[in-house]
Each structure stands twice: as structure tokens, then as C-alpha cells.
Amino acid sequence: MTRKQGGDAAQARQAVLAELRPGQSLELLQALHILTRDGLMNQDSRRKLKQVYHLYQFIAPLLDELAQDGHAPLLADHGAGKSYLGFILYDLFFKALGRGQVVGIEWRAELVQRSRELAQRLGFERMRFLDMAVADAAARADLPARFDIVTALHACDTATDDAIDFGLAKQARAMVLVPCCQAELARGLRRNKALNLARTPLAELWRHPIHTRELGSQITNVLRCLRLEANGYQVTVTELVGWEHSLKNELIIARYHGQRKRSAQQRLAAILDEFGLRPLLGARFGAPPVQAVASAAAGPGQGE
């Protein structure tokens, strides 16, 4: 390598270091394959790190608030994958705090094992990884009864709903969610397409497959927000990063305040009815089938 090449490489490494947060472990980023062994970063890794750092900006103030008065924050990271988010949260926040725990939940056993090995190698003693589906986590007997924060970064399709179920069951103080691949509702729209085209001109909004996918994604996230509001959360919806970095870019932040909004549950049910989705998705979003509602309204002995 010439002197000029060596100087260029050193400048490139310095530029990468300038993008990192203070105190960030280079060994961790190299182990996660965000940094190369030479301390450099490609565009794909840069996009990935940018997403996690942006999410960290939203989560860190919540952790600061929850860590007051000596409390040890407990965070569950659902659909953790390679646990980029969990590791970076621990490295930048939990490690210096000296208390609290990060629990990563991921169904792919090989990823869980790698995360366990990495946490042990780095001395991240208050990280725990569970090999299970998100949907099964709430019933896990050896998990605490309450969690402070629930996160899900690109938990695919209904895994985001499972993370919300977990957060509600564990009385989470906050949930930070970046949904991904919302396909379930789109399947329901396709199933009733012919009937709805005859019933309402609104069905033109999802007549074409690409519109079905996009509208299904939009409605799914609207229903999630209404469900959270109906269960006592204040909800903010924003972008995670610029669209040039990720098309899966919607960020839902929910903070518990305890005031359940009946109007939110009513609107949720009305949207399901408008799109003919209550039989398929009513149970998932806490809106029982119309027949069950009518029977309940009739009262004991009057539902025949």
C-alpha cells in the first residue's frame, strides 16, 4: 500500500468514526458486520445503522424517564433477528446505566444462539435471548409480569400485532414499533373483492393488486393505532428515517396514560365493518363479530 493509499484509508476510517455515537463499541459493530475488520462501512450497513440510531433517538428519552429513582428498565425486543437494536441499546444506554435488562425474542434458533454467544463475549450480562415466536412470549412463565418498553423493528406481518399483544399483557409503559410486510389484511381485502366491488365504489381503492397491498398496509397500521388508543395509550405516528433509506418507514410510538378511548374502539370496529373485515380480523383487534355484539346487547335470556 502506498503512503497515499494509507492516508486515504485512514481518512475513510475517521469519516466512519464521525458517524458513530460517542461510546459506541467498535468490537460490537464489527461482530454485527456493520463495520468491516478495517473499520469501514458499506452503504447497506450505513442504512441499517442509520435506522437503528434514529430509533435509538426515540427510545433513549423513554429509558431516561423510566430509569429515574433507581428503577431498572426492562425492555423486550420482539422479532429481534440479529439483535442490532437490542445490542446497540445495551451498548449505548444499559451498559453505562449499570442496571436494567434487554430481552430479545426471536424464533430462529441459530440467530438466538449467535446473539447469546456475542453477549457473553462482550460481557453484556444483562441481555437475554429467547428462542420462540413472538406470539408465544406473553405466556412464557419465566418472564416478568411487567415490561417497561416493548420494541419491534420490522417484525414481519402479524408479528407486530403479537408484540402489541405482549405489551398489553405486560402493561408496558411504552411501545416503539416499526411495522413491516402487513400482508394479513390485504389477503382479507382480496378475499371479498368481488362482493365489495358490487357493494361500494370504495372497493376501487383496492381493485388492483399493488393498491391492495398498499391500502392493506395503511389500514393495518391505522387499526393498530386505534387499538392502542382504545387501551389507554397516547399514540404518535411519524417517519423513522428518510424514504431513501427504507420503504418500511412508519414509526408508531405509544405511551401509556391510562385513559381508554371508547371512540377509538368504535372507529376501529366501524373500519372493519366498512371493509368487510370484521369476521376475519375482529378478534385480533378486539372487535367481536357483529352477532356476538348483538347477543351481548340483548342481555341474559334475551339473545334467542
Side-chain angles (χ1 to χ4, degrees):
M1 180 184 294
T2 67
R3 181 178 298 178
K4 182 180 183 304
Q5 289 172 329
D8 290 344
Q11 283 186 330
R13 283 192 291 271
Q14 285 301 119
V16 168
L17 290 175
E19 297 181 51
L20 305 183
R21 287 187 166 270
Q24 179 76 77
S25 166
L26 300 184
E27 183 183 0
L28 169 64
L29 296 184
Q30 287 172 332
L32 293 174
H33 303 293
I34 291 174
L35 290 183
T36 67
R37 284 180 293 180
D38 296 327
L40 301 178
M41 185 163 41
N42 64 34
Q43 281 303 110
D44 183 58
S45 295
R46 184 171 277 107
R47 281 194 297 269
K48 196 173 298 179
L49 186 62
K50 190 177 185 70
Q51 290 178 54
V52 174
Y53 274 174
H54 272 270
L55 199 52
Y56 174 81
Q57 288 181 329
F58 290 101
I59 298 172
L62 298 171
L63 288 169
D64 276 326
E65 184 179 321
L66 289 163
Q68 297 298 314
D69 302 320
H71 179 66
L74 189 56
L75 182 144
D77 180 27
H78 282 283
K82 295 180 181 178
S83 294
Y84 294 108
L85 177 60
F87 274 114
I88 288 174
L89 281 170
Y90 191 96
D91 190 39
L92 295 178
F93 185 88
F94 286 87
K95 185 169 64 176
L97 184 66
R99 61 183 184 275
Q101 187 178 19
V102 174
V103 179
I105 298 169
E106 167 60 45
W107 65 273
R108 287 167 289 186
E110 68 278 9
L111 296 184
V112 171
Q113 185 57 33
R114 284 184 212 161
S115 293
R116 287 171 177 163
E117 291 170 357
L118 179 56
Q120 184 176 23
R121 173 151 59 94
L122 295 174
F124 289 4
E125 298 174 350
R126 287 172 285 109
M127 291 195 78
R128 181 181 177 192
F129 300 94
L130 301 180
D131 170 13
M132 61 168 46
V134 178
D136 299 329
R140 178 90 174 215
D142 59 343
L143 283 177
R146 298 190 66 172
F147 274 76
D148 294 299
I149 298 182
V150 171
T151 64
L153 174 57
H154 296 159
C156 196
D157 198 11
T158 58
T160 297
D161 299 299
D162 295 333
I164 293 173
D165 288 342
F166 180 92
L168 295 177
K170 298 297 185 179
Q171 303 173 62
R173 305 303 303 175
M175 300 190 217
V176 182
L177 313 165
V178 182
C180 179
C181 305
Q182 300 92 315
E184 182 185 48
L185 192 142
R187 288 193 293 270
L189 290 174
R190 283 194 292 270
R191 183 182 303 177
N192 299 321
K193 186 179 292 187
L195 176 63
N196 282 313
L197 280 168
R199 182 178 66 88
T200 172
L202 286 177
E204 291 294 337
L205 294 175
W206 68 93
R207 181 160 63 92
H208 299 286
I210 188 171
H211 294 157
T212 306
R213 185 186 68 211
E214 292 174 353
L215 184 66
S217 175
Q218 179 78 355
I219 296 171
T220 301
N221 288 340
V222 168
L223 292 172
R224 287 166 174 163
C225 292
L226 288 171
R227 185 185 179 203
L228 287 163
E229 290 177 343
N231 282 278
Y233 288 81
Q234 179 183 1
V235 176
T236 301
V237 183
T238 186
E239 292 180 0
L240 176 60
V241 289
W243 292 103
E244 70 274 15
H245 296 290
S246 175
L247 295 177
K248 310 298 184 182
N249 198 37
E250 188 166 332
L251 172 62
I252 300 171
I253 303 171
R255 299 188 60 170
Y256 187 73
H257 57 64
Q259 298 176 3
R260 294 172 178 262
K261 290 180 66 174
R262 181 179 298 178
S263 62
Q265 188 64 38
Q266 291 170 342
R267 289 173 183 174
L268 186 158
I271 289 172
L272 289 173
D273 289 338
E274 181 65 31
F275 289 94
L277 293 166
R278 195 195 281 234
L280 177 66
L281 295 175
R284 176 177 297 284
F285 290 101
V290 175
Q291 185 176 2
V293 172
S295 297
Q302 301 176 41
E304 297 291 318

